[in-house]
Amino acid sequence: MESRIELIRGDITKLEFDAIVNAANKSLLGGGGVDGAIHRAAGHQLLEECRTLNGCETGEAKITMGYQLPARHVIHTVGPVWRGGNNREDELLASCYTSSLEVAVNNQCKTIAFPNISTGIYGFPKERAAMIAINTTKEFLAKSKTIIKVIFVCFDEENYNLYKNRLNEVGKA
Ligand code: ADP
């Protein structure tokens, strides 16, 4: 069977999938990094819809339309800020992936692209984050047949190489 996990290097705002995931902050009202790029590319209607959502807790996810993005939907999830590792950071990061995949399934999204949540401004160690992202996604896909494709989108070369090595080690789903 063809793999359901793919890895690419690039800009998530350019991708035409059922959903792209945004590494948002709790306000859901935009920010820096990938969040800023998604809001710029989607246009002001995205911010207007986000205002109606009353924010989002860390580890949870909420969906909107994609507006001017090529992607149909945006799934906004809030990653944990890295505070040394003893503040449930691993569990909360895993929950971002699981919650986003659940939201995708509940909204008939079969193809979904993830950025490297929490590894930018939020400072999560990249190798540890890649392991959590891949393991959590593989576990989810093993139980759910609805999603046909998960694409990990790496903006920087370091993350791309970490994901490539990890996926070669554990195999794809
Ligand atoms: P966080 O606050 O969750 O750390 P950031 O947006 O600062 O979120 O970073 C998360 C990841 O998104 C980083 O690895 C960063 O390199 C990446 N990133 C930034 N811009 C884009 C983009 N346009 N497409 C995909 N990934 C991006």
Side-chain angles (χ1 to χ4, degrees):
M1 198 181 83
E2 203 199 333
S3 167
R4 287 195 285 160
I5 294 183
E6 262 179 41
L7 174 64
I8 63 167
R9 182 154 179 221
D11 179 351
I12 203 166
T13 66
K14 309 283 187 219
L15 303 178
E16 197 177 337
F17 292 114
D18 292 340
I20 62 169
V21 175
N22 181 16
N25 57 48
K26 283 183 171 183
S27 76
L28 297 187
L29 300 181
V34 70
D35 194 5
I38 287 174
H39 275 272
R40 274 193 300 280
H44 67 95
Q45 287 164 299
L46 177 62
L47 182 60
E48 283 162 26
E49 186 175 356
C50 284
R51 282 194 217 284
T52 69
L53 299 178
N54 295 316
C56 183
E57 292 302 320
T58 304
E60 295 181 4
K62 294 189 177 179
I63 192 166
T64 64
M65 297 305 291
Y67 300 102
Q68 288 170 54
L69 289 164
R72 202 151 48 87
H73 291 98
V74 180
I75 296 172
H76 307 261
T77 188
V78 183
V81 176
W82 181 259
R83 291 200 187 87
N86 293 319
N87 296 280
R88 299 173 54 228
E89 289 95 333
D90 290 353
E91 177 194 330
L92 288 166
L93 185 62
S95 173
C96 287
Y97 286 90
T98 311
S99 302
S100 298
L101 290 162
E102 276 167 3
V103 167
V105 168
N106 292 338
N107 289 275
Q108 290 78 48
C109 297
K110 295 182 178 209
T111 56
I112 175 170
F114 280 100
N116 309 135
I117 300 165
S118 282
T119 67
I121 299 158
Y122 282 4
F124 207 106
K126 288 182 180 175
E127 185 160 17
R128 188 164 171 146
M131 265 178 56
I132 292 169
I134 292 167
N135 293 348
T136 308
T137 300
K138 279 175 67 94
E139 278 167 30
F140 189 95
L141 291 180
K143 284 183 284 186
S144 168
K145 301 293 164 208
T146 310
I147 306 267
I148 55 175
K149 195 68 90 182
V150 174
I151 305 95
F152 291 117
V153 185
C154 299
F155 201 57
D156 58 275
E157 189 173 8
E158 189 187 356
N159 262 319
Y160 180 78
N161 288 329
L162 286 168
Y163 270 77
K164 196 167 69 178
N165 292 338
R166 184 73 193 162
L167 286 168
N168 283 339
E169 271 167 36
V170 299
K172 295 179 182 175

